[in-house]
Amino acid sequence: MESQNSNICNNGSALIFLGTGCSSAVPNVRCLLQPSDPPCSVCSQALSVPPNQNPNYRCNTSLVIDHYSESDNAHSYILIDVGKTFREQVLRWFTLHNIPRIDSIILTHEHADAVLGLDDIRAVQPYSPINDIDPTPIYLSHHAMNSIAEKFPYLVQKQLKPGQEIRRVAQLDWHIIEEDHQRPFVASGIQFVPLPVMHGEDYISLGFLFGEKCRVAYISDVSRIPSSTEHVISKASAGQLDILILDTLYKEFMSYNHQSFYLLYRMGLIIHTFASLRFTLETVKRLCPKRALLIGMTHEFDHYKDNDFLTEWSQREGIPVQLARDGQRIPVELS
């Protein structure tokens, strides 16, 4: 089995993949409750192989940036997205990689697989029965803020209503960021450039560009990258990325490669909202990073078989591309 650790730029900083799967995660519950004939080979492994030994066991897509500052001789931990499987990810990967806390949170968008773990942030904050702790900074778009205020009003409101008792909840300090690559922001000492991408033609999700010595672009939920965003991260325009982390939900459009679906898509009657493998590899070729890691996969992807295919593709195209896996740690030199 491949190692979860890789070498790129070697110092104390690292990228840690908490999750590399889709919203429903992998295994797909339906494959276990109502198995097909023959059964789904990827999901069936969940019943026989422990998750920490199974790269086809995927939680909601999420990343921790472990940033080591030589000047301060200290680590800071930045979390991108807090999905439905966050608690499981903390139990499995925070303990393995000695992540003691979260110093900042960044949200790509406000869908369930990116925000429904926000309540569990209190588990990685200092304990205070009266919430007397420093809040964790959280960075998100205006649209995401409005949605989360409806989903989690108790995490957003600053004052108790008359007669309302104190209950321990996650303490968060909300910061609105612009959906504009010309409006960067700083979280825990790292500058992030927002990368607006289309998640369906009616919805904007954010990717992020960060790192000085090692330039990393992270794009988790995408169906189309606008030319203005592509300009910021392409080798031909703004300089070559060291690492591109990119969504590849399906092998083909949506979840099925049906001719009828394809015809409807071509007629404009169905809009795809996620990336297919073909879209992803075409994007990788255009952007031409030094290395690409793919995330957001459904159970259509078998980690070993599809990485064999991607190894052949990489050798042919001259760009190393692989599926990432949960728990993978990649050393990087960010600053």
Side-chain angles (χ1 to χ4, degrees), residues 104-117:
S104 298
I105 301 167
I106 302 173
L107 299 182
T108 60
H109 64 312
E110 44 73 49
H111 287 169
D113 57 340
V115 306
L116 285 194

Side-chain angles (χ1 to χ4, degrees), residues 224-268:
R224 181 174 65 84
I225 302 178
S227 58
S228 58
T229 294
E230 191 164 306
H231 177 84
V232 178
I233 55 176
S234 67
K235 178 182 179 181
S237 301
Q240 189 174 32
L241 293 171
D242 293 283
I243 304 174
L244 172 64
I245 301 169
L246 187 59
D247 180 30
T248 182
L249 187 73
Y250 297 120
K251 287 193 175 180
E252 298 293 341
F253 290 117
M254 302 298 286
S255 56
Y256 301 97
N257 186 20
H258 290 165
Q259 184 178 12
S260 59
F261 174 86
Y262 182 73
L263 290 174
L264 290 171
Y265 169 77
R266 294 288 292 179
M267 293 168 63

Side-chain angles (χ1 to χ4, degrees), residues 134-166:
D134 292 331
T136 301
I138 180 168
Y139 301 85
L140 71 170
S141 70
H142 184 75
H143 174 73
M145 182 75 257
N146 289 339
S147 176
I148 289 173
E150 295 182 359
K151 293 181 176 78
F152 297 103
Y154 61 93
L155 295 182
V156 176
Q157 65 186 27
K158 298 296 184 181
Q159 294 182 340
L160 295 176
K161 298 177 182 179
Q164 186 177 5
E165 295 183 4
I166 295 176

Side-chain angles (χ1 to χ4, degrees), residues 68-99:
Y68 174 71
S69 171
E70 291 186 358
S71 60
D72 298 330
N73 191 29
H75 288 259
S76 58
Y77 303 91
I78 303 166
L79 173 65
I80 301 182
D81 285 343
V82 195
K84 297 179 287 185
T85 57
F86 177 65
R87 183 178 183 275
E88 179 179 356
Q89 293 163 315
V90 169
L91 294 174
R92 181 164 291 122
W93 305 122
F94 278 46
T95 53
L96 178 67
H97 294 297
N98 299 314
I99 303 170

Side-chain angles (χ1 to χ4, degrees), residues 281 284-285 309-319 321:
L281 293 178
V284 169
K285 288 177 65 174
F309 162 78
L310 289 171
T311 296
E312 295 178 4
W313 186 94
S314 300
Q315 292 172 347
R316 183 171 65 251
E317 300 295 339
I319 307 172
V321 180

Side-chain angles (χ1 to χ4, degrees), residues 269-306:
L269 299 178
I270 295 179
I271 303 297
H272 70 294
T273 58
F274 287 97
S276 66
L277 181 59
R278 178 180 175 182
F279 164 90
T280 299
L281 293 178
E282 288 175 350
T283 302
V284 169
K285 288 177 65 174
R286 286 199 313 275
L287 299 181
C288 195
K290 293 180 182 178
R291 179 185 184 182
L293 291 161
L294 309 185
I295 57 174
M297 291 80 69
T298 68
H299 63 156
E300 292 182 12
F301 288 88
D302 182 286
H303 185 82
Y304 298 111
K305 293 179 181 178
D306 288 304

Side-chain angles (χ1 to χ4, degrees), residues 82-231:
V82 195
K84 297 179 287 185
T85 57
F86 177 65
R87 183 178 183 275
E88 179 179 356
Q89 293 163 315
V90 169
L91 294 174
R92 181 164 291 122
W93 305 122
F94 278 46
T95 53
L96 178 67
H97 294 297
N98 299 314
I99 303 170
R101 65 185 184 278
I102 290 298
D103 295 298
S104 298
I105 301 167
I106 302 173
L107 299 182
T108 60
H109 64 312
E110 44 73 49
H111 287 169
D113 57 340
V115 306
L116 285 194
L118 282 171
D119 183 79
D120 284 319
I121 287 295
R122 60 181 171 170
V124 294
Q125 291 183 322
Y127 178 80
S128 170
I130 60 172
N131 300 320
D132 185 23
I133 61 172
D134 292 331
T136 301
I138 180 168
Y139 301 85
L140 71 170
S141 70
H142 184 75
H143 174 73
M145 182 75 257
N146 289 339
S147 176
I148 289 173
E150 295 182 359
K151 293 181 176 78
F152 297 103
Y154 61 93
L155 295 182
V156 176
Q157 65 186 27
K158 298 296 184 181
Q159 294 182 340
L160 295 176
K161 298 177 182 179
Q164 186 177 5
E165 295 183 4
I166 295 176
R167 289 177 170 82
R168 181 174 177 251
V169 298
Q171 297 300 297
L172 301 170
D173 183 17
W174 304 89
H175 297 264
I176 302 300
I177 58 177
E178 300 295 329
E179 297 173 341
D180 184 347
H181 65 81
Q182 296 181 331
R183 301 291 297 275
F185 63 97
V186 175
S188 295
I190 298 181
Q191 177 173 282
F192 290 84
V193 176
L195 301 173
V197 297
M198 304 313 297
H199 185 10
E201 288 303 304
D202 62 345
Y203 190 93
I204 295 175
S205 182
L206 291 178
F208 300 98
L209 172 66
F210 59 93
E212 297 176 6
K213 294 183 179 179
C214 207
R215 298 178 71 239
V216 182
Y218 180 87
I219 302 176
S220 63
D221 292 77
V222 59
S223 58
R224 181 174 65 84
I225 302 178
S227 58
S228 58
T229 294
E230 191 164 306
H231 177 84

